[in-house]
Amino acid sequence: MTASSSDSVDLVTLGQRLRHLRRTRGLTLDQLSEAVGRAPSQLSLIENGKREPKLSLLQAIAAALGVPMQDLLRTEAPSRRAALEIELTHLQKNPAYSALGLPVVKGGRRLPADALESLIGLHRELNRVLTEQSATPEVARRANAQLRADMRNRNNYFAEIEAAANKILLSVRHTTGPLSQRGILDIAAQVGFSLHYVNDLPSSTRSVTDLKNRRIYLPQVASGKGHDPRGVVLQTLGHFVLGHNDPADYGDFLRQRVEVNYFAAALLMPEKFAVDFLAEAKADRALAIDDFRDAFGVSYETAAHRFTNLATHHFGIPVHFARVHESGIVYKAYENDNVRFPSDVTGAIEGQPVCRKWASRTVFEAEDPYSSFYQFTDTTAGTYWCTVHVESTRSGEFSVTVGTPYEHARWFRGGDVSGRTVSTCPDPDCCRRPPAQLVENWAGNAWPSARVHSHLLAALPPGTFPGVDNRDVYDFLERRDHAAS
């Protein structure tokens, strides 16, 4: 058995510890090799992290050095210099460095300390730049698909975030109902921040936090239709309550965004009061997203999202959610009820067209699409009931859908609706393939000019916080810092 296989020892660290202990004892390689019955070249390979020693040899070395074997196997470096040499060795094994075709620099005693420090600094910067490279749309789609799978596995219920939100509410003595603006100010103070509303926030941001002076800067006017200004504040505070660090990659950025959105909703619609409200409505077989929205004074989409957090965990109701543009393209989606959203080869749902027979699209053909809309849909995965709300934005109209399998429709207002459609997608004959007569009339006689959005072809914005211009942010903070001093 080898040391690394038994204890997962890092060979570079092991070698550094062996060299340090040998020199501390005043032994040369020749002297130690004679004591353990091994060639000096073999011990040199071990000290340089290039050979994996057997356990019996490590025991012999420890005995010759007069130390417990555990001293050889410790994970910490024996000195700061050794720690830097270990880090340099690992950094130079990085595929990104190997791809540059540059020579490997040995970190032994002949390498001056300042040169070693400089090399480490350059490698760290190289890694930082590489992690901030622009994410391709495929990378983003894969990251989003993985995140959605994680949400499905936990039924979109985050117990740790619920607990964090409840702790904050208790700290500001919030005991009932929706969270007020006064309560939000109290929460900000509790977390150690002051709020400042300004008219010159960088255009690429919804808020900017000055960690040095513990100030959160927010726009004097909400940044766009559908953005609850209370939510923006609570999302910003959520990063600090939940202990977020700078995102390590695009997937981490998306995860943090989901978590702070959840945190904000858990404060605006506290779990205890939200569950009590929904339980009463379920007992009356009158669950309704509209009522849920009105009871807590939030947007319909926030209420729909919050419902997905609580419905399965507390009431055993599996659900799906979708935000679909009037063109039929999915912008957001979630499910734990086995509804089959269209997806690409990466598993991504966003950007895919939904079936024309689904309620998310038939609502746009309704006589009054802005009133409550309900529909049953027979699909290849089963029959689903949906309630849909249409909202208008600068980018067009969107449908926000909450759905559930047929057997759970009885708990909802509108669960007895007679409207019903049949969807056989992904069968192209369902709604993708034009009728034969249209094909005969127009095949070969149509040449549409496609509206290609440039963002579909470009890489996603680079940076630790994608799309944010750091220069603008730093200029803004500098102005504000001078104004405050």
Side-chain angles (χ1 to χ4, degrees), residues 7 53 58 68 164 180 212 252 281 299 320 325 400 415 445 468 475 481:
D7 296 298
L58 278 181
S180 66
K212 185 190 302 184
D252 195 30
S299 70
H320 66 265
H325 188 258
V400 177
N445 294 309
V468 173
D475 284 344
D481 197 38

Side-chain angles (χ1 to χ4, degrees), residues 154-167 242 262-263 266 271 306 309-310 313-314:
R154 60 198 301 167
N155 290 322
N156 207 19
Y157 181 81
F158 292 66
E160 66 279 15
I161 300 180
E162 297 285 0
N166 187 55
K167 183 177 180 180
L242 301 177
Y262 192 115
F263 177 78
E271 182 176 23
R306 188 64 174 142
N309 299 152
L310 306 173
H313 181 78
H314 286 283

Side-chain angles (χ1 to χ4, degrees), residues 178-460:
L179 184 65
S180 66
Q181 182 64 31
R182 177 70 257 171
I184 291 174
L185 291 172
D186 290 343
I187 289 172
Q190 181 76 20
V191 181
F193 287 94
S194 58
L195 305 182
H196 303 263
Y197 293 88
V198 298
N199 59 9
D200 61 340
L201 206 65
S203 60
S204 60
T205 66
R206 289 199 294 161
S207 70
V208 172
T209 302
D210 175 355
L211 296 175
K212 185 190 302 184
N213 298 298
R214 308 292 287 181
R215 301 175 187 141
I216 296 177
Y217 292 101
L218 300 147
Q220 289 181 344
V221 180
S223 57
K225 192 167 184 177
H227 288 305
D228 186 335
R230 298 176 303 164
V232 174
V233 177
L234 296 175
Q235 288 162 19
T236 302
L237 292 171
H239 285 295
F240 306 103
V241 174
L242 301 177
H244 288 166
N245 297 311
D246 287 355
D249 51 35
Y250 199 78
D252 195 30
F253 168 75
L254 292 178
R255 178 189 60 80
Q256 289 187 10
R257 188 172 67 172
V258 165
E259 290 180 354
V260 297
N261 284 341
Y262 192 115
F263 177 78
L267 290 175
L268 291 170
M269 309 177 78
E271 182 176 23
K272 179 184 183 305
F273 312 124
V275 169
D276 288 347
F277 178 88
L278 292 174
E280 186 175 341
K282 180 175 180 287
D284 292 338
R285 297 183 179 238
L287 287 172
I289 306 301
D290 309 71
D291 293 350
F292 197 33
R293 170 199 61 191
D294 296 342
F296 290 89
V298 297
S299 70
Y300 188 93
E301 186 172 342
T302 295
H305 270 298
R306 188 64 174 142
F307 183 79
T308 69
N309 299 152
L310 306 173
T312 309
H313 181 78
H314 286 283
F315 305 107
I317 301 175
V319 292
H320 66 265
F321 163 91
R323 186 171 190 262
V324 177
H325 188 258
E326 59 186 319
S327 63
I329 300 300
V330 178
Y331 273 58
K332 297 179 185 177
Y334 161 80
E335 60 81 19
N336 69 354
D337 60 359
N338 296 316
V339 72
R340 294 177 184 169
F341 284 114
S343 63
D344 64 14
V345 293
T346 68
I349 291 172
E350 293 74 17
Q352 299 299 305
V354 299
C355 178
R356 295 172 186 269
K357 308 294 181 61
W358 284 18
S360 297
R361 295 191 69 175
T362 60
V363 66
F364 293 112
E365 301 169 4
E367 290 185 7
D368 183 5
Y370 302 101
S371 296
S372 298
F373 183 87
Y374 313 110
Q375 177 181 299
F376 282 105
T377 308
D378 297 325
T379 77
T380 56
T383 299
Y384 292 88
W385 174 87
C386 295
T387 176
V388 191
H389 170 82
V390 173
E391 60 180 24
S392 298
T393 74
R394 296 174 185 171
S395 302
E397 294 190 327
F398 286 84
S399 63
V400 177
T401 303
V402 172
T404 192
Y406 175 86
E407 59 270 26
H408 296 281
R410 65 184 185 275
W411 305 117
F412 292 81
R413 182 183 304 144
D416 57 352
V417 66
S418 58
R420 197 183 199 100
T421 61
V422 177
S423 166
T424 59
C425 277
D427 181 351
D429 284 331
C430 177
C431 65
R432 299 283 188 271
R433 185 175 293 157
Q437 186 61 52
L438 290 178
V439 173
E440 182 179 345
N441 289 346
W442 296 106
N445 294 309
W447 188 284
S449 178
R451 185 190 299 274
V452 179
H453 299 288
S454 60
H455 67 269
L456 296 177
L457 305 176
L460 293 173

Side-chain angles (χ1 to χ4, degrees), residues 95-141:
Y97 181 74
S98 301
L100 297 176
L102 297 174
V104 172
V105 178
K106 293 183 178 180
R109 285 188 293 180
R110 295 182 180 179
L111 183 66
D114 55 353
L116 178 60
E117 297 268 11
S118 295
L119 285 171
I120 294 289
L122 288 171
H123 275 284
R124 289 172 178 170
E125 180 63 13
L126 172 63
N127 285 342
R128 186 193 67 78
V129 170
L130 288 174
T131 59
E132 288 190 2
Q133 287 291 346
S134 301
T136 66
E138 181 180 349
V139 168
R141 288 196 296 270

